[in-house]
């Protein structure tokens, strides 16, 4: 993945928050089940920019 700030190649990394992080869609009612996705983390070794990417983005 290319860094959007400096065009350097980014490296996949891990963000430690109790085994990883997830995102969850907002629900309109208490009876609706939210969609969830794991998140991939990338870091640029040149400028330090960090990017998060949903692995199951098509669910949203």
């Amino acid at each position: 993945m290319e860094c959007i700030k400096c065009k350097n190649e980014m490296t996949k990394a891990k963000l430690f928050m109790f085994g990883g992080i997830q995102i969850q869609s907002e629900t309109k009612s208490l009876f609706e089940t939210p969609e969830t996705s794991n998140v991939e983390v990338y870091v640029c070794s040149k400028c330090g920019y960090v990017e998060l990417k949903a692995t199951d983005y098509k669910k949203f």
Side-chain angles (χ1 to χ4, degrees):
M1 176 179 284
E2 185 178 90
C3 178
I4 63 170
K5 300 286 184 180
C6 70
K7 307 300 182 203
N8 188 51
E9 187 65 25
M10 297 182 81
T11 304
K12 190 170 182 179
K14 291 183 180 181
L15 180 62
F16 290 100
M17 293 182 67
F18 303 106
I21 56 175
Q22 287 189 338
I23 57 172
Q24 189 176 65
S25 65
E26 290 187 15
T27 57
K28 297 177 182 170
S29 74
L30 294 173
F31 305 105
E32 186 180 359
T33 304
E35 296 292 343
T36 61
S37 175
N38 290 329
V39 176
E40 293 179 335
V41 181
Y42 295 87
V43 63
C44 179
S45 62
K46 186 174 178 182
C47 72
Y49 177 74
V50 174
E51 186 162 325
L52 304 176
K53 180 182 175 189
T55 57
D56 297 321
Y57 60 90
K58 292 183 180 182
K59 289 183 178 180
F60 295 84

